[in-house]
Every structure is written in C-alpha cells, then in structure tokens.
Amino acid sequence: MADTATLYIDGQWVPAASGATRTIVCPADGTEAAVVSEASREDTERAIAAARAAFDSGVWSSVPAPERGAFLLKVAARLRERKDEFAKAESADTGKRFVESQIDMDDIAACFEFFGRLAGQQAGRIVDAGDNSVLSRIVYEPVGVCGMITPWNYPLLQAAWKLAPAIAAGCSFVLKPSELTPSTSILMMDVFAELGLPDGVANLVSGTGPDAGAPLSEHPDVDLVSFTGGLATGKIIAAAAAGTVKKVALELGGKNPNVIFADADFDAAVDNALNAAFVHSGQVCSAGARLVVHEDIAEKFVDELVRRAEQIRIGGPYDDAAETGPLISAAHRDKVHAYVQAGIAEGARVRTGGRFATDEDGEGLGSGIYYLPTVIDNVLRGMSVVVEEAFGPTVTVETFADEDEAVAIANDTVYGLAGAVWSQDAGLAQRVAGRLRHGTIWINDFHPYLPQAEWGGFGQSGVGRELGPMGLSEYQEAKHVYQNTAPAVTGWFADHSAK
C-alpha cells in the first residue's frame, strides 16, 4: 500500500477523497515518522456505510463465537511475530522508549488472547420461567456497528481494548486513531486483512476529531461509540450520541491519588511514586499525579522524591540510558507548562523541574519536545494544579493527618479512575481501598492492570468498562427469547360472536 493510501475502507487501502495527507513527526527529535491519508467526514461516512453493510449481511456476526475467538488468537500470535516492527512504529509516532513500546505490544497480544478465549464462553443463560412448557433464555448478540476513537498516548493498546471485544462479539467497526499516532493502527488493519477478516468488518480512518471523528458519534448507522480521551471531548461525544440514543462508552482520564500512610515501606513507596507520576512522562490516564502523604513522613518523603526525580534520565526511543521520553507535541508541552505556571500563580511551589528540557539537561534534548519531571508542593485543595489533569510529568503533594482526611482528599475530585494506598497494615489498606471512589485501587503498587479485570472510572472519568467480561458486554446486546412449547388459547378476551 502507498504511504498516501492509508485509509482502510471495505477491505481496500484508499487515499482520502480530498487527497489530503498528514506528515507524522516524531516528538523525540522532529524527524518524519510517516505520511498518511487525512480523512474527512466524507471518508468516515463511506467507512460507516461499509461497516453497516458488512454487519447487516451477517458475514462476521453469524460466524460462531468460538471461531471468532480463534481468529483473535491468530491475531495475537501474529502480533508477537511482528512485535519489533509494531514497536518501532509506535515509538516513531509517540517518541516513547522502544522498550516501553515492546512491553505495550506484549500487553496488546495478551488482550487479544484474553478476548479470544472469552469469546466462546458467552453462551447465554437459561431462565426459569416457572412453567415446564416454557423455554426461556438470555442470548448475547453483537451491538452492531461500532465507532472507536482512540488517543495518542497508548495508540494501539487503547485501540486493542476496543477492537478485541468488538471482534469477539461479532460487531463491525470504524476505528479513528489519533491523527498524531496512526501508524500502528494502520499496521493492525494489515494484520486483520492478512488473517482473513471479511471486507467491511474492519475499517480505519485517520484524521482530526471534528472532521473524521464527529460522524462516529452522530451517524444513525453507528450503534455504539467508544471513546478514550479528554473530558471536554468526551462530553461533546456524549451529547452528539444522544441524538440517536446510541450506546456510549467513555474513558476520560483522571486525577489519581497515591495515598502514602506513615507505616508504608518507604523505599518502595518513593520508587513507585516516581513510576506513578513520571512513566511515559506522565502521559497516562491513570498517572499518580496527586501524592497524598501522611504529615509525619511528608518532609522526608518529598525530599527523597525530589532527589530521585532530579536523577531521571530523559531521551529518545533508542537512548539506552533514558528512563522516560518526550511529550507528544509542542502544543501539549505548552499546556503542561501553563498548568505549572498557573499553580505558581496560586501560591504553589515547584521543588524541581517546571521547565522545558534543553541540551544542558541531556545531549540532543533540544531537538525534541521534553519537559523536566516536576514536583509541586505547598498546594491546597481547590488549586488548579490539584483539580485539573496536566497529562504531563508533574506531581502535586498534599498531606493528611488521619485516615478520614486521607480518604476525603483522595475522593475530592470530579474524576474517579484510579488510586493507590500504601500501608503495611492490611486492614487499614483494605478499609481505605473500600472507601475510595475510583475504578481501580492498587494496594502497595501502582499502574499494573490485567486484561481479565475490568478497567474504567467513577464520576467524570467516564461510563462503561473496558477489559474483563464487562469489556465484552459493552459490545453486546442482551436478548430474552421466550418460547411456549404448548401454546393454548388464553381466554382472556372472550369471542362474543361465538355461538
């Protein structure tokens, strides 16, 4: 396929109808990563029509679920074979360290494997109708045509969380990856085609949200829209979807608390606080961007956190010494910096970082889009740096005196995606975990997830769940089939003309 024919519609690689293209630039060094087609509304509507026709034909939805599961297992195997190819493409688009992209590919393969195994286990259930002449059962059917809009921070991982269950359920779909990071999604369509997914079941359009993405939430032929991204965009998508009352699944990020009690394993808690805040330069929806630490250890803990943060090595995908990478774009880096500056204006204190990285901070950094790991203390609840999601390498510090105050601080957010509790008191940790209003709670850890465990948030972190059995259910409709094997006249309405 040509570089400028990278839309995948009805089993064909095609250019954008307008001929428009976009150059993808690696944020680590400004080099060209790819040239791809830039879709418009017209292209997306063609993709929707192809998905609709494929679904209505039954070409995939009528395939037995175990066979759909077997297909997903083949996808996983092919991903493992092409792991480095995919990882290189991911790192070129995002600037992420190559080793991190390799880990992502393993996680993506595991996701396809999980849903591949799960697909054949959803046979429905029998309902006891209280009458031996009635056969009553619940069956699960594909929701139909799915629109999928995915972010730039984990491009293929976030897509896989949608693609795998949709395929397992028997849906057809249109995927719109971020216009900044489409390369691995394009490669994914190549795998689907190679392994024989019928034409029209999988479709891809790359382009901006207003142009390529908007029809997926508005169009009456789309039955479900699944979006991962920012809160403001999620609200727009939910409002647009309401016009046709389609199913909506939204994962909208978080402002995630990392609660450290005084009895926590100090070294492990500090180390994990760094991971929580600065992995992938904080461009993680579940990043532990709010450090909530007991006042008895706060000074010592933050001093050590600052010392360690200043040692973090930043660099490009193939810098073996690098521990984290660039931000996705100059515009995003400017937003992160404005967030830090707003905190300073409100009285917060930057303990370390708080500025763009330059060549003085590391060789070659000046050619990329880097921001220093940043620790902000002297903050109060309600400050913008505490309330707003920076989505960058920043962490704020709040302190608490007791359990109740820790819970109150941790729950003081409109979001509710994830959080952590650090304590060697198992009862305390479990008690606090039970009180936190977040979709995932880690105890004495931060960031791991499992494909078999549901992922999603409370509050304005979104609606619906990805992964786990509920992740498959998002792409299904439940139908009740009630069969009377001994039909008879009810006599409820009399036949008054009868003689």
Side-chain angles (χ1 to χ4, degrees), residues 436-470:
L436 294 182
R437 298 284 295 168
H438 302 271
T440 292
I441 303 296
W442 296 288
I443 296 176
N444 297 331
D445 210 329
F446 209 102
H447 275 321
Y449 77 94
L450 303 170
Q452 59 269 35
E454 280 75 4
W455 178 268
F458 293 14
Q460 294 188 36
S461 281
V463 295
R465 290 293 183 269
E466 296 189 295
L467 302 179
M470 288 181 66

Side-chain angles (χ1 to χ4, degrees), residues 121-418:
Q121 300 175 14
Q122 303 295 301
R125 72 180 195 272
I126 301 298
V127 177
D128 185 357
D131 184 339
N132 290 335
S133 65
V134 171
L135 300 178
S136 185
R137 57 195 178 98
I138 304 298
V139 296
Y140 300 103
E141 299 182 354
V143 69
V145 175
C146 304
M148 304 169 178
I149 304 173
T150 54
W152 47 258
N153 59 332
Y154 288 90
L156 191 57
L157 182 67
Q158 295 291 339
W161 289 11
K162 306 177 193 301
L163 295 170
I167 292 171
C171 298
S172 61
F173 57 86
V174 179
L175 171 65
K176 194 210 82 69
S178 167
E179 66 272 21
L180 302 178
T181 56
S183 295
T184 46
S185 292
I186 292 170
L187 289 174
M188 191 77 257
M189 296 301 115
D190 184 51
V191 169
F192 292 158
E194 176 192 357
L195 295 178
L197 193 65
D199 293 351
V201 175
N203 301 272
L204 178 143
V205 292
S206 55
T208 65
D211 292 327
L216 297 177
S217 54
E218 301 166 353
H219 202 287
D221 281 342
V222 175
D223 301 295
L224 173 149
V225 60
S226 179
F227 169 75
T228 299
L231 176 58
T233 303
K235 290 180 178 180
I236 293 170
I237 287 171
T244 53
V245 201
K246 58 172 57 55
K247 288 185 70 174
V248 176
L250 303 172
E251 203 265 78
L252 306 178
K255 191 68 176 176
N256 311 290
N258 185 15
V259 181
I260 317 293
F261 282 88
D263 70 335
D265 181 317
F266 187 87
D267 292 339
V270 170
D271 181 75
N272 278 270
L274 292 167
N275 290 349
F278 301 129
V279 162
H280 195 18
S281 288
Q283 299 171 123
V284 184
C285 59
S286 56
R290 293 178 67 200
L291 181 64
V292 183
V293 58
H294 194 280
E295 60 187 20
D296 288 352
I297 62 167
E299 182 176 357
K300 177 183 177 183
F301 195 98
V302 177
D303 285 348
E304 181 64 7
L305 185 72
V306 168
R307 186 185 73 81
R308 291 284 304 278
E310 290 174 344
Q311 297 177 12
I312 292 174
R313 296 286 301 273
I314 55 180
Y318 302 102
D319 180 351
D320 291 338
E323 297 167 310
T324 193
L327 299 185
I328 189 64
S329 68
H332 183 59
R333 182 177 60 180
D334 289 345
K335 288 181 181 179
V336 172
H337 190 58
Y339 161 93
V340 174
Q341 293 300 305
I344 293 171
E346 292 177 309
R349 176 177 59 168
V350 173
R351 292 287 303 274
T352 189
R355 63 176 176 84
F356 295 5
T358 68
D359 284 337
E360 294 182 1
D361 302 299
E363 185 178 351
L365 296 184
S367 61
I369 303 169
Y370 296 93
Y371 200 84
L372 293 178
T374 300
V375 179
I376 305 170
D377 69 2
N378 199 36
V379 304
L380 299 173
R381 290 164 69 178
M383 282 185 174
S384 60
V385 287
V386 175
V387 173
E388 297 173 7
E389 185 180 26
F391 219 66
T394 68
V395 61
T396 60
V397 181
E398 300 166 83
T399 62
F400 66 92
D402 57 30
E403 177 184 331
D404 287 343
E405 187 177 15
V407 170
I409 291 171
N411 283 337
D412 188 12
T413 173
V414 299
Y415 295 104
L417 183 60

Side-chain angles (χ1 to χ4, degrees), residues 57-180:
S57 74
V59 67
W60 186 244
S61 59
S62 63
V63 171
E67 292 183 28
R68 299 197 297 262
F71 175 84
L72 292 176
L73 295 178
K74 292 178 183 177
V75 171
R78 192 55 48 88
L79 276 171
R80 294 194 187 279
E81 292 171 4
R82 298 175 62 179
K83 172 180 172 178
D84 284 356
E85 176 191 358
F86 274 74
K88 288 176 183 177
E90 191 96 315
S91 289
D93 279 7
T94 64
K96 183 183 301 187
R97 293 189 309 147
F98 180 62
V99 65
E100 291 186 43
S101 293
Q102 289 178 307
I103 293 170
D104 289 348
M105 296 310 127
D106 287 335
D107 288 346
I108 291 162
C111 175
F112 278 99
E113 287 166 346
F114 169 73
F115 284 106
R117 293 189 296 267
L118 185 64
Q121 300 175 14
Q122 303 295 301
R125 72 180 195 272
I126 301 298
V127 177
D128 185 357
D131 184 339
N132 290 335
S133 65
V134 171
L135 300 178
S136 185
R137 57 195 178 98
I138 304 298
V139 296
Y140 300 103
E141 299 182 354
V143 69
V145 175
C146 304
M148 304 169 178
I149 304 173
T150 54
W152 47 258
N153 59 332
Y154 288 90
L156 191 57
L157 182 67
Q158 295 291 339
W161 289 11
K162 306 177 193 301
L163 295 170
I167 292 171
C171 298
S172 61
F173 57 86
V174 179
L175 171 65
K176 194 210 82 69
S178 167
E179 66 272 21
L180 302 178

